[in-house]
Amino acid sequence: MIVCKFGGTSVANAQQIKKVANIVKANPARKIIAVSAPGKRTDDDIKVTDLLIQLANSVLQGVDIELKLNAVIERYADIASELGLDDTIIQVITSDLNERLASDKSEKAQFMDNIKASGEDNNAKLIAAYFSSIGMPAKYISPKEGLIVNDLPERTFALPETYVNLSKLAHVEEIIVFPGFFGYTKAGVLRTFDRGGSDITGSILASAVGAELYENFTDVDCVFSANPRVVNCPVEIKEITYREMRELSYAGFSVFHDEALMPVYKQGIPVNIKNTNNPDAPGTHIVPKRPAAGSPVTGIATDSGFSILYVSKYLMNREVGFGRRLLQIIEEENISYEHTPSGLDDISVIMRSHQLNDEVEARIIKRVKEELHAEDALFRHDFSMVVIVGEGMRHNTGLAARAATAISNTGANIEMINQGSSEVSLVFGVRSQYENQILKALYEEFFAHTTV
Amino acid sequence: MIVCKFGGTSVANAQQIKKVANIVKANPARKIIAVSAPGKRTDDDIKVTDLLIQLANSVLQGVDIELKLNAVIERYADIASELGLDDTIIQVITSDLNERLASDKSEKAQFMDNIKASGEDNNAKLIAAYFSSIGMPAKYISPKEGLIVNDLPERTFALPETYVNLSKLAHVEEIIVFPGFFGYTKAGVLRTFDRGGSDITGSILASAVGAELYENFTDVDCVFSANPRVVNCPVEIKEITYREMRELSYAGFSVFHDEALMPVYKQGIPVNIKNTNNPDAPGTHIVPKRPAAGSPVTGIATDSGFSILYVSKYLMNREVGFGRRLLQIIEEENISYEHTPSGLDDISVIMRSHQLNDEVEARIIKRVKEELHAEDALFRHDFSMVVIVGEGMRHNTGLAARAATAISNTGANIEMINQGSSEVSLVFGVRSQYENQILKALYEEFFAHTTV
């Protein structure tokens, strides 16, 4: 059994949904599909989810909503009519939306979640109706039937019973169309996944039914070995391990959100990233293990927006607990950090800059100086991280030297090197201005010469 | 005013003490000297401190001490007679020793400290007597006159009032001979410095009187840029900053203990490491700042005996506080660590192996797996750290690449690179079997070609 997930652009209009039907039809093993809300049809289009957010905001602000509500319904109506469906499905969607709009608004976040999630929910109903209309027996199934999430709005995840509940779906005869992006608490409150929405739903379904494969359909042919906006025609990644994929996602590189991999990772279920618009392309396979291939490097990712907190104190390394106390201060500011390179008398904490502002920085500096008696404490900004990823590259003698040499040859100074824990990655910190130049140089070093 | 410290080999016998007198005489600014107990005269000699430890142990075990006591007294008597001193000083030393031996033994550690410290204390009295006998007005001053330490036996350090108390010594007319290695608590209990004994005393004195220079006399001409037992005739270091010296001491490289630098570091007092046996050699100057010199690298040190705790957990980087909680477990085992390189889903903690044993390791692994739910946690042993030190090398583009390339060319795999905090050092972790080979290769890379 294969679980498929179709992203927003894969279900943006009637033409796309027909492609989805053909893909599902082409392999009888494709029995469960998770769908997103209709995405952008063109670059300057508005996603249904964004229309729904506008609608919910208008309701909460008490302004007239008619135009906004119509815009949402018209998107579905256009799709339905092009798919040759009769008016029934639009009546279902309209009454669903009206019911949600009339629901309790005392908890604004809950109300917003409820309106937003209708995008996926109603699209699943529409797609199930379309499948049935063309002779593909299909059934819409609501997350109410078992996708139970915790009651922590900022950090929604599926509870263990979800996997038991949804395992039943393996025995449904029809093709199941399941809306992505949300679940319900035990008390019946709808909650959306904060990140990677529909990808997580697909991954949960694949795990629950013990799928042989989780196909994640999107609008790219594969995962590339480097950002194609920077590197010309980068090598396509055919096969990548979970942990390689995770390390690449460090730099926002991943096609889908890393947390979405968790449920399938736990079961060892392989993932295939494929293109709805080119389903014959093999795509990228994410697997638990893979044989060592030619190049030690699988991919290179870069990301900007990092800051460094530098703290120094003479004889710091003689103080048991210094590092731990520093991290405690950072933690108390609710900041997560990436790396903590250290010398004898100094330690740096590397974190994403968006978590900082002048006030937070001043507070941290003050505490570090007063509570830890640091001689020096300061923030530096505008750093990028460059991540080189490859299974087994740790044991490739000379790889770090090659990478450092390639970076230095661009004229950039290496501000940080982090190697020594991950078996599959090597991280360099550099000034952001050099980021693209370095990515090109590293790609040249590790890929350009390997193509035959 | 210059404060000098003379180490154990510099005051091991009459001939050495005559050298000390000549050195002090040669510069009238040398007004305060801190002295060690008589050290080894030959490679197979026994230091007076070790004789004293044997003596104290015999007392505590209740066995006969006559031979051991005589051995100590004879060392002083030999020195005194060769220096042409009359019997008075030996009477002073003998009665001092008898008084200490008769003192309270209920606190064994205190008794041991009291006996051990007599080595320095009586040598200072003897040297002061000798100076006076040859027409150099000198005065023995006891740490009782102001060197006040905290009341924490495992971690002795001078309290702030010490610096006020001892500042008076600047106005003493005679040359002051001050015993190194110990001080007294406010309650009058003698405590020895746990590490770097007499070096710390000299440093405290230099700081207290605001010396223009702290001369640290030992038995080597200088600090070398690499271990001369591994590298043939390494370059001598003429000038080095405090922090370069500190980073080199990471690997046990330093001529004197790093904590000893603290008092002079705080005052910015320069230090000159000199050779009692070759006082005309310029030695090595330790200074707050120095101009950028030719080579970006000042020294290279290596040390073995490191272990790595590797911990991995999928989505570790999403857990705020994971690193802090891991360090807390390490801290609760009273283990200090050196570096914590981290990937996205794993973190390594690098520590000195001597702090570990099977039991401690098993306990840590158990806690990490149970409390942090780590998927993987294991210890790896037999690593060496290679430290490359140089003021400003951080901004030397390509230095990390050169170092990594030199290491890789030995065939060694780089297990860890730590760069990114210290401005003056770059640390590589390697398998210990490659340590010497790597030191040679790095010396070749950074020094061999720079000599003209």
Coordinates of all heavy atoms in Angstrom, one line a residue, chain A residues 249-278:
Chain A
S249 N 18.1 20.0 5.6 CA 16.9 20.8 6.0 C 17.4 21.9 7.0 O 16.7 22.9 7.2 CB 15.8 20.0 6.5 OG 16.1 19.6 7.9
Y250 N 18.5 21.7 7.6 CA 19.1 22.7 8.5 C 19.1 24.1 7.8 O 18.8 25.1 8.5 CB 20.6 22.3 8.7 CG 21.4 23.2 9.5 CD1 21.7 22.9 10.8 CD2 22.0 24.4 9.0 CE1 22.5 23.8 11.6 CE2 22.8 25.2 9.7 CZ 23.1 24.9 11.0 OH 23.9 25.7 11.8
A251 N 19.4 24.1 6.6 CA 19.5 25.4 5.9 C 18.3 25.7 5.0 O 18.3 26.3 4.0 CB 20.8 25.4 5.1
G252 N 17.1 25.2 5.5 CA 15.9 25.5 4.8 C 15.9 24.9 3.4 O 15.2 25.4 2.5
F253 N 16.7 23.9 3.1 CA 17.0 23.3 1.8 C 15.9 22.4 1.4 O 15.6 22.2 0.2 CB 18.3 22.6 2.0 CG 18.8 21.9 0.8 CD1 19.8 22.5 0.0 CD2 18.4 20.6 0.4 CE1 20.3 21.8 -1.1 CE2 18.9 20.0 -0.7 CZ 19.8 20.6 -1.4
S254 N 15.3 21.7 2.4 CA 14.4 20.6 2.1 C 13.2 21.0 1.3 O 12.7 22.1 1.5 CB 14.0 20.1 3.5 OG 12.9 19.2 3.4
V255 N 12.7 20.1 0.5 CA 11.5 20.3 -0.2 C 10.3 20.2 0.7 O 9.4 20.9 0.6 CB 11.3 19.2 -1.3 CG1 10.0 19.3 -2.0 CG2 12.4 19.4 -2.4
F256 N 10.4 19.4 1.7 CA 9.3 19.4 2.7 C 9.9 19.4 4.1 O 11.1 19.2 4.3 CB 8.3 18.3 2.5 CG 8.7 16.9 2.7 CD1 8.1 16.2 3.7 CD2 9.7 16.3 2.0 CE1 8.4 14.8 3.9 CE2 10.1 15.0 2.2 CZ 9.5 14.3 3.1
H257 N 9.1 19.8 5.0 CA 9.5 20.1 6.4 C 10.0 18.9 7.1 O 9.5 17.9 7.1 CB 8.4 20.8 7.2 CG 8.8 21.5 8.3 ND1 9.0 20.9 9.6 CD2 9.2 22.8 8.5 CE1 9.4 21.8 10.4 NE2 9.6 22.9 9.8
D258 N 11.2 19.1 7.8 CA 11.8 18.0 8.4 C 11.0 17.2 9.4 O 11.1 16.0 9.6 CB 13.2 18.4 9.0 CG 13.1 19.6 9.9 OD1 12.0 20.0 10.1 OD2 14.2 20.0 10.5
E259 N 10.2 18.0 10.2 CA 9.4 17.3 11.2 C 8.4 16.3 10.5 O 8.0 15.3 11.2 CB 8.6 18.3 12.0 CG 9.5 18.9 13.1 CD 8.7 19.9 14.0 OE1 7.7 19.4 14.6 OE2 9.2 21.0 14.1
A260 N 8.1 16.5 9.3 CA 7.1 15.6 8.6 C 7.7 14.2 8.4 O 7.0 13.3 8.3 CB 6.8 16.2 7.2
L261 N 9.0 14.2 8.4 CA 9.7 12.9 8.2 C 9.6 11.9 9.5 O 9.7 10.7 9.3 CB 11.2 13.0 7.9 CG 11.6 13.2 6.5 CD1 13.1 13.4 6.4 CD2 11.2 12.0 5.6
M262 N 9.4 12.5 10.6 CA 9.4 11.8 11.9 C 8.6 10.5 11.9 O 9.1 9.4 12.1 CB 9.0 12.7 13.0 CG 9.2 12.1 14.4 SD 10.9 11.5 14.7 CE 11.1 12.1 16.4
P263 N 7.3 10.6 11.5 CA 6.5 9.3 11.6 C 7.0 8.2 10.7 O 7.0 7.0 11.1 CB 5.1 9.8 11.2 CG 5.0 11.2 11.5 CD 6.4 11.7 11.2
V264 N 7.4 8.5 9.5 CA 7.9 7.5 8.5 C 9.3 7.1 8.9 O 9.6 5.9 8.8 CB 7.8 7.9 7.1 CG1 6.4 7.9 6.5 CG2 8.4 9.3 6.8
Y265 N 10.1 8.0 9.5 CA 11.4 7.7 9.9 C 11.4 6.6 11.0 O 12.1 5.6 11.0 CB 12.1 8.9 10.5 CG 13.3 8.7 11.3 CD1 14.6 8.4 10.7 CD2 13.2 8.6 12.7 CE1 15.7 8.2 11.5 CE2 14.4 8.4 13.5 CZ 15.6 8.1 12.9 OH 16.7 7.9 13.7
K266 N 10.4 6.8 11.9 CA 10.3 5.8 13.0 C 10.0 4.4 12.5 O 10.3 3.4 13.1 CB 9.2 6.2 14.0 CG 9.7 7.3 15.0 CD 8.6 7.5 16.0 CE 9.1 8.5 17.1 NZ 8.0 9.0 18.0
Q267 N 9.2 4.3 11.4 CA 8.8 3.0 10.9 C 9.8 2.5 9.8 O 9.6 1.4 9.2 CB 7.4 3.1 10.2 CG 6.3 3.5 11.2 CD 6.0 2.3 12.2 OE1 6.1 1.2 11.8 NE2 5.8 2.6 13.4
G268 N 10.7 3.4 9.4 CA 11.6 3.0 8.3 C 11.0 2.9 7.0 O 11.4 2.2 6.0
I269 N 9.9 3.7 6.8 CA 9.1 3.7 5.5 C 9.8 4.6 4.5 O 10.0 5.8 4.8 CB 7.7 4.1 5.7 CG1 7.0 3.1 6.6 CG2 6.9 4.3 4.4 CD1 5.6 3.6 7.2
P270 N 10.2 4.2 3.3 CA 10.9 5.0 2.4 C 9.9 6.1 1.8 O 8.7 5.9 1.8 CB 11.3 4.1 1.3 CG 10.5 2.9 1.4 CD 10.1 2.8 2.9
V271 N 10.5 7.2 1.4 CA 9.7 8.3 0.9 C 10.2 8.6 -0.5 O 11.4 8.5 -0.8 CB 9.9 9.6 1.8 CG1 9.1 10.8 1.3 CG2 9.6 9.3 3.3
N272 N 9.2 8.9 -1.4 CA 9.6 9.3 -2.7 C 9.0 10.7 -3.0 O 7.8 10.9 -3.0 CB 9.0 8.2 -3.7 CG 9.6 8.4 -5.1 OD1 10.5 9.3 -5.4 ND2 9.2 7.6 -6.0
I273 N 9.9 11.6 -3.3 CA 9.5 13.0 -3.6 C 9.3 13.0 -5.1 O 10.3 12.7 -5.9 CB 10.5 14.0 -3.1 CG1 10.5 14.0 -1.6 CG2 10.2 15.4 -3.7 CD1 11.6 14.9 -1.0
K274 N 8.1 13.3 -5.6 CA 7.8 13.2 -7.0 C 7.1 14.5 -7.5 O 6.6 15.3 -6.7 CB 6.9 12.0 -7.3 CG 7.7 10.7 -7.3 CD 6.8 9.5 -7.6 CE 6.5 9.3 -9.0 NZ 7.7 8.7 -9.8
N275 N 7.1 14.6 -8.8 CA 6.4 15.8 -9.4 C 5.1 15.5 -10.1 O 5.1 14.6 -11.0 CB 7.4 16.4 -10.5 CG 7.0 17.7 -11.0 OD1 5.8 18.2 -10.7 ND2 7.8 18.4 -11.7
T276 N 4.0 16.1 -9.6 CA 2.7 15.8 -10.1 C 2.7 16.1 -11.6 O 1.9 15.5 -12.4 CB 1.7 16.7 -9.4 OG1 1.7 16.4 -8.0 CG2 0.3 16.5 -9.9
N277 N 3.5 17.1 -12.0 CA 3.5 17.5 -13.4 C 4.4 16.7 -14.3 O 4.5 16.9 -15.5 CB 3.9 19.0 -13.5 CG 3.0 19.9 -12.6 OD1 1.8 19.7 -12.6 ND2 3.6 20.7 -11.8
N278 N 5.1 15.8 -13.7 CA 6.0 14.9 -14.4 C 6.2 13.6 -13.7 O 7.3 13.3 -13.2 CB 7.4 15.6 -14.6 CG 8.4 14.8 -15.4 OD1 8.0 13.9 -16.2 ND2 9.7 15.1 -15.3

